[in-house]
Amino acid sequence: MSEKTGMTTELALLAVLAVLWGASYTFIKIGVETIPPVTFIAGRTLIAGAILLGLIRWRGLAMPRDAVNWRRFMFQACLNSVIPFTLIAAAERSIDAGLATILNATSPIFTFLLTALLTRHEPVTLRKLVGVGAGIAGICLIVGTEALGGLGHQLWAQLAVVAATICYAGAAIFGRNFRGLDPMVPAAGSMICGAAILIPLSLVFDRPWALTPSTASILALFGLSIFSTALAFSIFFRLIHTLGSVGTTSQAYLRVPIGVGIGAVFLGESLGPTAWLGMAFVVVGVAAMTIPARQARLAR
């Protein structure tokens, strides 16, 4: 496969990941209407982990048996599923799916800052700075002043989404430790560990056997688990190694119009009139933050 074809494939996967995660906010909004957040996320990690484990065995692969990798899976689970999944699910009981999408789209900013200040494993370039600026501008244009004007309400829920975003940024950087493993392996490992943490909490606090979830919430749970978790995290761990942590999280800019659009169709949330112009800025931001990864690969 040529470098050009390989990069085209990675960018296509980046777009698929944006769609899968853009839809997740609507799935969550529908799911937590009748399923408590901890139980909902426990189900999400359990179903996704079981699917991934089955696929791994079907492909003839095996999960690591050493303690080092499983400690890493556990830490990744906390950063990438247990804490952020639960925070966002709890927050979406108070705020719209579109607003959660917008706030969570700041993950590349935190990844960029953490990379620049702590790990320094990716260069801080003018192109990436432009990408950050263009992405933020696109988000503001897509959302519109009406939606941004609501940032002062439900403060705890909004701060919870921001905290989840910081966790995602750390997870994108820590995910580099799984280099050499098939992408499905850390995805499955982190989901299994996440379920091991959340299921006992669900049993103690939510008494799931006494719940009466709606059909819509159950379908949302399965859609979220299969598509926006099992499939999405397999793609995520692959892109971490090909596009880098900042490049991978840059799909958050593309996720904004997708997530807001899905919310508009299925939840009746409205789009701003400047959405098309905002999407142009979003595309510029994605390109600016992923093209350097290609240059780095060509230089090796």
Side-chain angles (χ1 to χ4, degrees):
M1 184 185 296
S2 67
E3 291 285 348
K4 183 176 181 180
T5 302
M7 180 53 63
T8 300
T9 300
E10 300 311 304
L11 292 178
L13 287 173
L14 191 73
V16 171
L17 184 61
V19 172
L20 293 173
W21 277 349
S24 68
Y25 302 95
T26 295
F27 283 138
I28 292 170
K29 184 69 175 179
I30 296 171
V32 297
E33 287 179 356
T34 59
I35 303 175
V38 172
T39 296
F40 185 73
I41 300 306
R44 176 184 186 179
T45 54
L46 178 62
I47 294 169
I51 292 170
L52 289 167
L53 190 59
L55 289 173
I56 285 171
R57 291 182 175 176
W58 177 71
R59 293 176 58 199
L61 303 174
M63 295 295 293
R65 297 181 180 273
D66 60 287
V68 173
N69 270 311
W70 280 99
R71 282 197 295 268
R72 289 174 177 171
F73 292 159
M74 182 65 74
F75 188 68
Q76 183 75 10
C78 292
L79 284 178
N80 217 25
S81 58
V82 174
I83 297 174
F85 285 1
T86 305
L87 286 175
I88 292 172
E92 285 204 47
R93 285 194 151 186
S94 302
I95 62 175
D96 288 343
L99 184 55
T101 306
I102 297 154
L103 293 172
N104 201 216
T106 58
S107 57
I109 308 301
F110 290 109
T111 302
F112 179 82
L113 292 174
L114 289 174
T115 297
L117 296 176
L118 300 177
T119 66
R120 299 179 182 178
H121 66 272
E122 295 185 24
V124 177
T125 65
L126 178 61
R127 187 183 296 273
K128 288 183 179 179
L129 290 173
V130 170
V132 170
I136 292 175
I139 290 169
C140 292
L141 286 168
I142 291 167
V143 175
T145 56
E146 297 85 357
L148 289 178
L151 287 175
H153 305 296
Q154 300 94 30
L155 181 61
W156 76 267
Q158 294 156 27
L159 291 177
V161 177
V162 173
T165 302
I166 296 172
C167 288
Y168 283 143
I173 295 173
F174 186 77
R176 297 172 62 249
N177 289 308
F178 301 114
R179 189 179 299 275
L181 293 177
D182 183 275
M184 280 192 179
V185 171
S190 63
M191 289 298 110
I192 292 168
C193 290
I197 295 171
L198 289 167
I199 288 174
L201 295 177
S202 169
L203 294 174
V204 171
F205 294 107
D206 291 339
R207 296 168 54 88
W209 58 87
L211 299 175
T212 55
S214 68
T215 301
S217 290
I218 293 173
L219 291 175
L221 173 59
F222 279 97
L224 181 70
S225 303
I226 296 168
F227 299 108
S228 298
T229 308
L231 178 58
F233 274 94
S234 296
I235 296 173
F236 170 80
F237 281 105
R238 167 174 171 157
L239 293 178
I240 285 293
H241 301 313
T242 56
L243 294 182
S245 54
V246 173
T248 300
T249 56
S250 69
Q251 52 75 32
Y253 296 141
L254 189 59
R255 191 171 73 220
V256 169
I258 294 170
V260 172
I262 292 173
V265 172
F266 294 99
L267 301 176
E269 298 174 358
S270 60
L271 288 170
T274 55
W276 286 108
L277 180 60
M279 287 183 67
F281 277 90
V282 165
V283 171
V284 170
V286 171
M289 297 191 77
T290 56
I291 287 175
R294 180 187 181 187
Q295 293 174 338
R297 290 182 69 190
L298 291 173
R300 286 199 291 268

